[in-house]
Amino acid sequence: MSPSGEQNLLIGVIGGSGLYHLENLTFVKEVNPETPWGFPSSPITIATLPSGTPVAFLARHGRAHQINPSNVPSRANIAALKSLGVRAIVAFSAVGSLREEIKPGDFVVPNQVIDRTKSIRPVSFFEGTGVVAHATFGDPFSESLTKVVVPLVKKALVREGEKSIDVHENKCLVVMEGPQFSTRAESHMYRAWGGDLINMSTLPEAKLAREAELSYTLIATATDYDAWRVSETPVTVAEVVKTLRANADASRHVTVTILEDLHKAVAGGAGVEEGSMQFSIMTAKEHQRAEDRAKLGYILPYFD
Ligand SMILES: CSC[C@H]1O[C@H](OP(=O)(O)O)[C@H](O)[C@@H]1O
Ligand SMILES: Nc1ncnc2[nH]cnc12
């Protein structure tokens, strides 16, 4: 448990568009830690599963969806979750589909990312300090956590007597700068690059989780076909919102169904990002400023 941490809290859930709270959990309390990077997007809810296991929940865009994807305080969000003792993050996101076979309503657990954000978001905890570090990011999502999550999501979405929701894995997500959606030309270009999905919010969130040595996996829900289908109109918010409500209900169901097993897996060692930054720091200790060490010590043990 971290100094300000919650006993036995290991899993943090970040809710995206349409997912502003969880249901069927027992509310414990709300916390709003001020981090060296400011306050998180919303107060963080601590709730327990039926077994008594605690989980943390944070609404990425705020509970009233008042924070634009370019302005999400991702550093504060990740730092706040880490300060509570969270070791693994399950993030949810509403995404556009760049592939015919990924239909609105489908769930996708991607394994790769293409960064099309435009350097207007703070992307590193080391930014603004005199400490230089380069995190390894070849596999942007925690492979071991993803390996646990995929079968759990598939199992959670099997519906008795009904068609099950399709779950795709090993897909590539393009993260673009919003808030406007893509042009048709961009949408075609992303497909040619190998993109399968598109959203506006997984970066820098996943990069920051890696810098803070948190395991991070994404459960994406497709809401639309973006702008690449020649005979269809390009994506609109109305179209996204139409699918969003059903997707959010399914996401809430998935969350409460998988969290117990996920907690056990993380307690048992799944998610191996802890220690991953140890050899990423270039600036020798004797050249690091005390104030930078204090700030970075909030998220990493190498600055104590
Ligand atoms: C409401 S459509 C665009 C918006 O939806 C996604 O948000 P999130 O990833 O938080 O679910 C996408 O990234 C955009 O921010
Ligand atoms: N088509 C799209 N582009 C970017 N972000 C999205 N979120 C949901 N659909 C999207």
Side-chain angles (χ1 to χ4, degrees):
M1 193 173 83
S2 71
S4 59
E6 296 292 321
Q7 190 79 39
N8 202 26
L9 176 65
L10 296 179
I11 309 287
V13 177
I14 300 181
S17 296
L19 192 61
Y20 309 110
H21 60 93
L22 293 178
E23 274 164 11
N24 299 327
L25 299 180
T26 307
F27 176 83
V28 176
K29 64 176 170 180
E30 209 171 81
V31 291
N32 198 15
E34 182 171 17
T35 77
W37 299 275
F39 286 98
S41 297
S42 68
I44 296 172
T45 303
I46 311 289
T48 53
L49 304 172
S51 66
T53 301
V55 295
F57 177 83
L58 167 64
R60 178 184 293 121
H61 301 280
R63 288 175 184 159
H65 203 130
Q66 74 277 24
I67 308 173
N68 174 313
S70 305
N71 298 120
V72 169
S74 294
R75 292 192 295 189
N77 289 351
I78 297 296
L81 289 171
K82 174 112 193 200
S83 76
L84 297 174
V86 162
R87 295 222 310 257
I89 292 176
V90 181
F92 282 85
S93 172
V95 300
S97 167
L98 299 173
R99 300 289 159 193
E100 196 66 50
E101 67 274 16
I102 303 174
K103 311 170 294 300
D106 285 1
F107 275 57
V108 192
V109 184
N111 67 339
Q112 276 300 324
V113 167
I114 293 173
D115 192 350
R116 278 277 297 166
T117 62
K118 296 187 177 159
S119 303
I120 62 171
R121 311 174 184 199
V123 294
S124 170
F125 286 108
F126 296 87
E127 218 172 282
T129 75
V131 181
V132 176
H134 303 284
T136 295
F137 202 60
D139 293 305
F141 302 106
S142 167
E143 287 186 286
S144 68
L145 193 64
T146 301
K147 213 178 272 174
V148 176
V149 161
V150 168
L152 290 176
V153 172
K154 285 185 177 168
K155 195 167 148 211
L157 289 174
V158 172
R159 298 184 300 182
E160 294 296 325
E162 278 181 70
K163 192 187 169 312
S164 298
I165 294 174
D166 286 337
V167 182
H168 309 261
E169 53 186 309
N170 298 321
K171 299 295 177 195
C172 178
L173 169 73
V174 177
V175 184
M176 59 169 290
E177 198 64 65
Q180 299 83 359
F181 291 115
S182 305
T183 64
R184 288 186 187 275
E186 286 163 342
S187 198
H188 285 296
M189 178 180 74
Y190 298 143
R191 278 165 51 81
W193 284 358
D196 300 305
L197 313 165
I198 183 160
N199 78 359
M200 303 176 190
S201 49
T202 297
L203 297 176
E205 194 171 272
K207 289 183 175 177
L208 293 164
R210 182 62 55 84
E211 281 191 348
E213 297 188 335
L214 293 179
S215 303
Y216 180 100
T217 193
L218 181 71
I219 301 179
T221 53
T223 50
D224 56 86
Y225 277 114
D226 200 45
W228 58 272
R229 275 170 137 202
V230 180
S231 57
E232 304 267 332
T233 50
V235 57
T236 62
V237 161
E239 185 187 358
V240 170
V241 168
K242 210 162 64 184
T243 325
L244 214 53
R245 189 159 303 136
N247 284 2
D249 286 344
S251 298
R252 267 189 283 275
H253 167 70
V254 164
T255 314
V256 295
T257 312
I258 73 171
L259 282 181
E260 196 65 70
D261 286 333
L262 205 56
H263 177 93
K264 282 191 198 129
V266 171
V272 290
E273 278 62 35
E274 224 168 285
S276 63
M277 288 298 288
Q278 198 175 355
F279 302 110
S280 297
I281 298 156
M282 299 295 292
T283 315
K285 189 173 175 180
E286 61 271 25
H287 295 291
Q288 297 172 359
R289 293 191 299 248
E291 68 264 32
D292 293 344
R293 292 182 61 78
K295 194 172 183 184
L296 294 166
Y298 193 87
I299 49 147
L300 287 170
Y302 317 114
F303 301 96
D304 285 345

